[in-house]
């Protein structure tokens, strides 16, 4: 397919919240909660990128480790993009690196931060490209799920092992909700989850208490453009695919991007 998409600079966000390496990690946790970030850059005094903190990194923070500096949890960015790269090339780099967002720096020789871009930002531009694919063509059929009766610790561990940040909640084969890593963070159950791992909590909170309902689902005949519209409208990361109310697959942003690559 001809690569005629706009450039990274056309889709990236320029107003980026960032952290310094000597900031307390709790500052990052507050920003993640308040602004729904998935990742955040760590800059030096010259505003050059020296690391990145993800939503997963922030979860090591507990009440007894509130004084951890950002330098203790940050990692090296898997992808750095430049403003002049075209969006399709940028999307491929992100999917290949298994990241949903990437930092944008001034150039390949200058790591001064100029923006951040996510797969979500790229979807509106992909929507304008021609594609006749349907949900059945791009969905993942081996779906990792959980039950509404599962405890937070069990579901969190499943997310950690599978690397999925959101799971359909299924009862009797039917989707009854969606649970994401962010839902667990927002509900304040991360600390409980860690204490549950250590045997300090006898009755871990159930997923049914914090899952999102009803789940927004699509049929196997839903067009890829309709799926993009749904994801953008509701600001969600994935949609279960159902047939006769039964779960048969799931589609996330990465699946959509791969369909255009």
């Amino acid at each position: 397919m001809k690569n005629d998409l706009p450039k990274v600079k056309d889709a990236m966000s320029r107003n980026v919240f960032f952290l310094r390496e000597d900031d307390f990690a709790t500052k990052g946790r507050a920003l993640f909660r308040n602004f729904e970030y998935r990742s955040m850059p760590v800059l030096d005094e010259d505003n050059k990128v020296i690391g990145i903190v993800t939503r997963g990194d922030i979860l090591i923070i507990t009440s007894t480790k509130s004084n951890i500096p950002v330098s203790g949890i940050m990692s090296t960015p898997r992808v750095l993009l430049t403003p002049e790269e075209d969006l399709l090339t940028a999307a491929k780099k992100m999917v290949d690196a298994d990241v949903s967002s990437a930092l944008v720096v001034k150039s390949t020789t200058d790591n001064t931060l100029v923006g951040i871009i996510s797969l979500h930002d790229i979807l509106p531009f992909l929507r304008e490209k021609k594609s006749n694919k349907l949900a059945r063509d791009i969905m993942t059929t081996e779906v990792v799920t959980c039950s509404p009766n599962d405890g937070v610790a069990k579901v969190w561990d499943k997310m950690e092992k599978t690397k999925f940040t959101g799971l359909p909640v299924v009862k009797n084969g039917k989707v009854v909700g969606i649970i994401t890593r962010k839902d667990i963070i927002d509900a304040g159950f991360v600390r409980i989850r860690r204490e549950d791992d250590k045997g300090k909590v006898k009755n871990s909170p159930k997923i049914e208490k914090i899952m999102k309902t009803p789940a927004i689902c699509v049929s196997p005949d839903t067009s890829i453009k309709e799926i993009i519209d749904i994801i953008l409208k509701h600001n969600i990361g994935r949609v279960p695919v159902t047939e006769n109310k039964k779960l048969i697959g799931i589609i996330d942003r990465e699946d959509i991007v791969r369909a255009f690559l």
Side-chain angles (χ1 to χ4, degrees):
M1 181 178 291
K2 184 180 178 181
N3 191 345
D4 55 0
L5 282 176
K7 299 181 183 298
V8 167
K9 64 182 180 182
D10 299 315
M12 71 182 190
S13 299
R14 289 176 169 79
N15 297 322
V16 185
F17 283 93
F18 61 86
L19 296 166
R20 303 292 187 186
E21 59 183 331
D22 56 351
D23 283 337
F24 286 132
T26 46
K27 177 181 178 180
R29 181 176 62 184
L31 289 172
F32 273 91
R33 283 180 173 169
N34 293 336
F35 297 98
E36 300 187 7
Y37 294 135
R38 294 177 176 84
S39 62
M40 200 176 304
V42 183
L43 308 182
D44 64 13
E45 58 186 14
D46 296 318
N47 290 334
K48 295 186 183 299
V49 176
I50 58 175
I52 192 168
V53 174
T54 67
R55 188 181 289 166
D57 296 328
I58 218 72
L59 294 173
I60 71 167
I61 303 171
T62 63
S63 57
T64 59
K65 295 182 179 180
S66 59
N67 61 343
I68 292 179
V70 167
S71 60
I73 62 172
M74 70 180 188
S75 57
T76 301
R78 297 183 191 175
V79 178
L80 289 177
L81 302 174
T82 59
E84 295 301 320
E85 290 185 74
D86 68 83
L87 282 181
L88 202 59
T89 299
K92 186 177 188 307
K93 288 182 178 180
M94 293 165 67
V95 169
D96 288 346
D98 194 26
V99 295
S100 60
S101 62
L103 303 180
V104 185
V105 295
K106 194 170 184 179
S107 70
T108 55
T109 58
D110 186 346
N111 274 11
T112 302
L113 182 73
V114 296
I116 191 169
I117 189 169
S118 69
L119 293 179
H120 197 84
D121 297 325
I122 297 174
L123 290 186
F125 297 90
L126 290 179
R127 190 190 182 286
E128 301 307 313
K129 296 184 74 66
K130 184 178 179 180
S131 176
N132 295 320
K133 292 184 177 180
L134 305 176
R136 66 172 74 253
D137 302 318
I138 66 173
M139 68 183 185
T140 298
T141 55
E142 295 182 5
V143 188
V144 178
T145 67
C146 63
S147 162
N149 292 320
D150 287 339
V152 169
K154 179 178 179 180
V155 173
W156 186 263
D157 285 343
K158 185 176 287 189
M159 289 179 177
E160 290 280 278
K161 291 175 182 177
T162 62
K163 304 302 180 184
F164 295 132
T165 58
L167 303 177
V169 186
V170 177
K171 184 176 182 180
N172 298 326
K174 298 180 180 180
V175 180
V176 296
I178 288 282
I179 184 69
T180 67
R181 182 176 285 185
K182 185 179 183 302
D183 294 330
I184 296 175
I185 297 173
D186 289 347
F189 286 155
V190 174
R191 178 182 60 80
I192 294 175
R193 175 259 172 187
R194 290 186 170 278
E195 291 181 351
D196 185 48
D197 274 353
K198 297 175 182 178
K200 296 180 180 180
V201 177
K202 293 183 178 180
N203 296 308
S204 175
K206 303 298 183 183
I207 288 302
E208 64 182 352
K209 295 184 179 295
I210 57 175
M211 67 183 185
K212 291 289 194 309
T213 59
I216 299 170
C217 302
V218 298
S219 77
D221 294 320
T222 306
S223 72
I224 192 170
K225 290 191 175 184
E226 289 178 280
I227 296 168
I228 292 175
D229 287 341
I230 290 170
I231 286 177
L232 293 175
K233 177 181 178 181
H234 297 281
N235 192 25
I236 53 180
R238 62 204 54 78
V239 287
V241 183
T242 58
E243 191 169 37
N244 297 322
K245 299 183 179 180
K246 296 289 186 178
L247 179 68
I248 62 170
I250 194 166
I251 296 169
D252 61 17
R253 298 184 186 105
E254 288 80 3
D255 295 321
I256 294 173
V257 171
R258 289 190 190 96
F260 286 96
L261 293 178

Tab-separated table of all heavy atoms in Angstrom, residues 5 34 37 89 126 128 134 192 203 246:
chain	number	residue	atom	x	y	z
A	5	LEU	N	0.700	8.816	4.276
A	5	LEU	CA	0.188	9.401	5.511
A	5	LEU	C	0.953	10.670	5.883
A	5	LEU	O	2.108	10.855	5.474
A	5	LEU	CB	0.312	8.399	6.651
A	5	LEU	CG	-0.730	7.292	6.723
A	5	LEU	CD1	-0.389	6.344	7.849
A	5	LEU	CD2	-2.117	7.854	6.915
A	34	ASN	N	-4.333	11.414	37.315
A	34	ASN	CA	-5.102	12.605	36.968
A	34	ASN	C	-5.271	12.820	35.473
A	34	ASN	O	-6.251	13.413	35.025
A	34	ASN	CB	-4.458	13.843	37.590
A	34	ASN	CG	-4.532	13.842	39.110
A	34	ASN	OD1	-5.403	13.202	39.689
A	34	ASN	ND2	-3.614	14.536	39.761
A	37	TYR	N	-2.317	9.114	31.627
A	37	TYR	CA	-1.138	8.818	30.814
A	37	TYR	C	-0.803	7.333	30.845
A	37	TYR	O	-1.040	6.648	31.835
A	37	TYR	CB	0.077	9.600	31.321
A	37	TYR	CG	-0.041	11.093	31.155
A	37	TYR	CD1	0.311	11.965	32.185
A	37	TYR	CD2	-0.508	11.635	29.959
A	37	TYR	CE1	0.200	13.330	32.032
A	37	TYR	CE2	-0.619	12.999	29.809
A	37	TYR	CZ	-0.269	13.843	30.832
A	37	TYR	OH	-0.381	15.189	30.680
A	89	THR	N	5.418	4.652	9.065
A	89	THR	CA	6.715	4.171	9.533
A	89	THR	C	6.783	4.228	11.047
A	89	THR	O	7.258	3.299	11.705
A	89	THR	CB	7.855	5.017	8.934
A	89	THR	OG1	7.824	4.907	7.509
A	89	THR	CG2	9.208	4.539	9.434
A	126	LEU	N	-5.267	6.837	9.959
A	126	LEU	CA	-5.440	5.544	9.306
A	126	LEU	C	-6.857	5.397	8.768
A	126	LEU	O	-7.078	4.752	7.733
A	126	LEU	CB	-5.151	4.412	10.299
A	126	LEU	CG	-3.698	4.216	10.738
A	126	LEU	CD1	-3.608	3.065	11.733
A	126	LEU	CD2	-2.795	3.947	9.546
A	128	GLU	N	-8.604	7.336	7.232
A	128	GLU	CA	-8.769	7.942	5.916
A	128	GLU	C	-8.198	7.083	4.795
A	128	GLU	O	-8.405	7.360	3.628
A	128	GLU	CB	-8.112	9.332	5.899
A	128	GLU	CG	-8.674	10.297	6.931
A	128	GLU	CD	-10.192	10.415	6.839
A	128	GLU	OE1	-10.702	10.581	5.711
A	128	GLU	OE2	-10.870	10.313	7.888
A	134	LEU	N	-12.827	-6.359	7.720
A	134	LEU	CA	-13.851	-6.404	8.761
A	134	LEU	C	-13.236	-6.911	10.065
A	134	LEU	O	-12.089	-7.381	10.085
A	134	LEU	CB	-14.992	-7.331	8.334
A	134	LEU	CG	-15.651	-7.029	6.992
A	134	LEU	CD1	-16.687	-8.110	6.676
A	134	LEU	CD2	-16.283	-5.649	6.994
A	192	ILE	N	-3.563	-3.055	47.693
A	192	ILE	CA	-4.262	-4.234	48.195
A	192	ILE	C	-3.794	-5.475	47.466
A	192	ILE	O	-3.602	-6.534	48.052
A	192	ILE	CB	-5.786	-4.057	48.043
A	192	ILE	CG1	-6.270	-2.928	48.946
A	192	ILE	CG2	-6.530	-5.344	48.371
A	192	ILE	CD1	-7.723	-2.588	48.781
A	203	ASN	N	-9.544	-11.645	51.792
A	203	ASN	CA	-10.558	-11.540	50.756
A	203	ASN	C	-10.229	-10.377	49.824
A	203	ASN	O	-10.594	-9.239	50.076
A	203	ASN	CB	-11.939	-11.336	51.392
A	203	ASN	CG	-12.363	-12.534	52.228
A	203	ASN	OD1	-12.345	-13.664	51.758
A	203	ASN	ND2	-12.728	-12.280	53.479
A	246	LYS	N	-21.951	-14.310	22.273
A	246	LYS	CA	-20.805	-15.080	22.736
A	246	LYS	C	-19.505	-14.440	22.257
A	246	LYS	O	-19.411	-13.969	21.118
A	246	LYS	CB	-20.873	-16.519	22.222
A	246	LYS	CG	-22.066	-17.315	22.752
A	246	LYS	CD	-21.899	-17.653	24.222
A	246	LYS	CE	-23.020	-18.568	24.711
A	246	LYS	NZ	-22.860	-18.946	26.139
